[in-house]
Amino acid sequence: MTFSNSVKVCFSKFTTWQGRASRSEYWYFLLFYLAVIIAAAVIDNVSGTAFTSPNYMTGEEQSVGYGYLYVLANLLLFLPGLSVLVRRLHDTNRTGWWYWLTLVPLVGIIVVVVWLCSKGTAGANNYGSDPLG
């Protein structure tokens, strides 16, 4: 799956929790997500719309590094990102509820990332047919 095709598929299935997603679909969308939020944070800082908070040592206002555009980008990309993550877990024949394992500090995140990097089930599994054909 190509980068642009992956982004199109993720936006067209942004609330589809059934089915499977290939590794390339997930990782290309994650790359797109990171590029968008980094660009949004840069634009917020350059345009001066980044949020500020007081420095407790000096009392001066300082930028927190993100602003309204960053928050908007994260809100728009949250559901497509979550749905492709669930479909990627389905590809490894695991329920999407395993996402909650990421709340376990360090170990949970490592386990889920290993699952996301691993090859999907060959052929059909409990969640549908093989996305690679």
Side-chain angles (χ1 to χ4, degrees):
M1 179 171 283
T2 65
F3 179 82
S4 60
N5 191 20
S6 172
V7 173
K8 288 177 192 174
V9 167
C10 289
F11 278 116
S12 68
K13 294 182 176 181
F14 78 99
T15 58
T16 302
W17 309 101
Q18 293 86 22
R20 297 165 62 176
S22 64
R23 282 184 288 187
S24 59
E25 180 181 344
Y26 176 77
W27 291 107
Y28 279 146
F29 186 77
L30 184 64
L31 179 65
F32 170 77
Y33 179 85
L34 291 173
V36 168
I37 63 169
I38 288 170
V42 167
I43 292 170
D44 279 334
N45 281 303
V46 169
S47 66
T49 60
F51 301 137
T52 59
S53 69
N55 182 331
Y56 295 106
M57 300 293 272
T58 63
E60 297 175 8
E61 290 287 318
Q62 64 184 20
S63 173
V64 294
Y66 60 88
Y68 296 108
L69 191 58
Y70 176 86
V71 171
L72 179 64
N74 273 299
L75 287 174
L76 291 174
L77 295 175
F78 175 73
L79 278 179
L82 185 60
S83 68
V84 74
L85 185 140
V86 168
R87 291 193 316 272
R88 178 71 199 123
L89 287 172
H90 286 174
D91 192 39
T92 61
N93 209 22
R94 290 177 180 84
T95 179
W97 291 104
W98 278 108
Y99 167 73
W100 293 103
L101 188 61
T102 59
L103 295 178
V104 176
L106 192 62
V107 174
I109 293 169
I110 291 171
V111 170
V112 172
V113 168
V114 167
W115 288 343
L116 294 173
C117 291
S118 65
K119 185 177 180 182
T121 308
N125 67 15
N126 297 334
Y127 301 99
S129 61
D130 193 346
L132 299 177

